[in-house]
Amino acid sequence: MNSVASTFTYLTKRRGGLLTVIGLIFVLVVFGMIVSDKFGTASNAVNILEQSTALALVSLGQTLVIITRGIDLSVGSMVSLASVLLSGITDGDPTMMWVALIAIMAAGVLVGLINAGASIYLGVHPLIVTLGTGAVLQGVTLLYTQTPIGKMPKGFDELAYGRILGLPIGAVFTIAAFVLTAIFLRKAPLGRYIYATGDDALGAQLMGLPRRRVLFVAYGFCGLMASVAAIFLVARLGAGQPYTGQNFTLTSITPVVVGGTLLSGGRGGVIGTLMGVYLVSLLNNLLNFMDISSHYQLIVQGLIVIIAVSVYVENKKRV
């Protein structure tokens, strides 16, 4: 009896945010099934999983950065640039596909390393650094093309629409990526250093923890995930578009905050982020069924961020 009580206490105090998100998902599913008969169908569930892949991957990278008490506002522009470069370089030629894939993933890591390096060695806050980097990347994207460009080889769309055991390939890849990252954060020394750096950067540095390496890993991983998200978007859309990542800057932060990762750093986790992604995706899907404009969806997401941050800040004060 005592063990059950202690487990319940742990879940409510330490995993309250995650339980809240799961509860909200359940409420949305029930409400959606009332609003439309098609909402609760298997085909709509698969559609939600397909649509959430890119957001989940960008949010995964963003989570690590936010845990370190940073933020990456360049992810949206990185998604746009990677998208047009992938389809533009490949342009339907199968022999160029792997070259393009490796190039954009390397570019994503490089941009992340630049963000971390500028923040570390110039002493500029990551918000300012990544805001500037994002502007540069979007400018480069528009210099490269201002319209949809290129095409992918035949069969590449299987990455977006193919199935593994009935589930979309993107969803399977996403869940695997989140599970592996969660294991890394909890079990690997460098993963624990990420939390330590976000919790107390000065203390971590005084203890001899590799703070610089931590930031390079976090931001490099974030850039990589933005590029991988672009791969799935191109597979889904069929071509690279210069504005395809425009909304990812805000939307990638929303699931992270809703999932319980504090903007003040040192607290949170990727499983909460994944649940936050599904919550946001379900909400957007439900609003579509209700024929509500996408502009209002952005307003709703912005309000969710404000409310979530306020709730977690208040909870932190009480602890």
Side-chain angles (χ1 to χ4, degrees):
M1 189 69 177
N2 290 334
S3 61
V4 173
S6 61
T7 301
F8 178 77
T9 301
Y10 172 81
L11 287 173
T12 53
K13 287 186 176 181
R14 301 297 299 273
R15 295 290 184 266
L18 180 58
L19 291 176
T20 300
V21 173
I22 294 173
L24 288 173
I25 289 175
F26 177 77
V27 171
L28 282 179
V29 170
V30 172
F31 182 71
M33 293 175 70
I34 296 173
V35 170
S36 172
D37 294 337
K38 296 180 180 179
F39 183 84
T41 61
S43 61
N44 188 52
V46 169
N47 183 47
I48 292 172
L49 289 174
E50 288 176 350
Q51 293 179 342
S52 65
T53 295
L55 173 60
L57 293 173
V58 179
S59 298
L60 176 60
Q62 190 78 262
T63 303
L64 266 66
V65 169
I66 291 178
I67 290 175
T68 67
R69 200 180 293 191
I71 198 165
D72 191 341
L73 300 182
S74 68
V75 288
S77 299
M78 187 65 235
V79 169
S80 295
L81 179 59
S83 298
V84 297
L85 286 178
L86 174 59
S87 58
I89 294 173
T90 304
D91 199 22
D93 184 354
T95 62
M96 292 299 295
M97 185 179 70
W98 287 107
V99 174
L101 288 172
I102 293 172
I104 67 164
M105 288 190 287
V109 173
L110 178 61
V111 169
L113 296 179
I114 290 173
N115 285 334
S119 178
I120 293 169
Y121 297 110
L122 299 181
V124 182
H125 194 281
L127 186 149
I128 303 300
V129 170
T130 58
L131 184 64
T133 305
V136 171
L137 294 176
Q138 191 61 46
V140 172
T141 302
L142 295 176
L143 285 173
Y144 184 65
T145 181
Q146 296 183 26
T147 58
I149 186 174
K151 59 181 179 179
M152 297 305 294
K154 184 178 180 180
F156 189 76
D157 60 348
E158 278 294 303
L159 194 60
Y161 300 107
R163 300 285 183 267
I164 297 178
L165 300 176
L167 293 174
I169 292 175
V172 174
F173 178 86
T174 296
I175 293 172
F178 269 82
V179 170
L180 290 174
T181 305
I183 294 172
F184 164 75
L185 287 174
R186 295 299 178 183
K187 301 298 182 181
L190 189 58
R192 294 194 293 270
Y193 296 161
I194 289 176
Y195 281 100
T197 299
D199 189 45
D200 185 358
L202 179 59
Q205 190 170 357
L206 292 175
M207 290 174 61
L209 300 183
R211 177 176 174 271
R212 293 180 179 178
R213 191 195 314 166
V214 163
L215 295 181
F216 278 123
V217 168
Y219 282 89
F221 181 72
C222 189
L224 174 63
M225 287 298 100
S227 295
V228 175
I231 295 171
F232 281 96
L233 281 174
V234 172
R236 185 174 175 82
L237 300 175
Q241 301 183 23
Y243 295 103
T244 192
Q246 189 173 21
N247 295 327
F248 276 94
T249 300
L250 172 63
T251 55
S252 68
I253 297 171
T254 305
V256 179
V257 175
V258 170
T261 298
L262 300 181
L263 291 174
S264 56
R267 297 289 187 278
V270 297
I271 302 303
T273 296
L274 183 60
M275 293 299 102
V277 167
Y278 291 146
L279 176 64
V280 171
S281 299
L282 271 170
L283 179 60
N284 290 340
N285 185 260
L286 177 58
L287 293 175
N288 287 333
F289 271 102
M290 297 172 67
D291 199 24
I292 296 177
S293 168
S294 60
H295 302 304
Y296 289 107
Q297 294 178 22
L298 287 175
I299 294 173
V300 171
Q301 288 184 24
L303 291 174
I304 288 174
V305 171
I306 295 172
I307 293 170
V309 171
S310 301
V311 170
Y312 287 124
V313 168
E314 184 63 27
N315 288 340
K316 189 176 180 182
K317 288 179 180 179
R318 292 177 182 177
V319 171

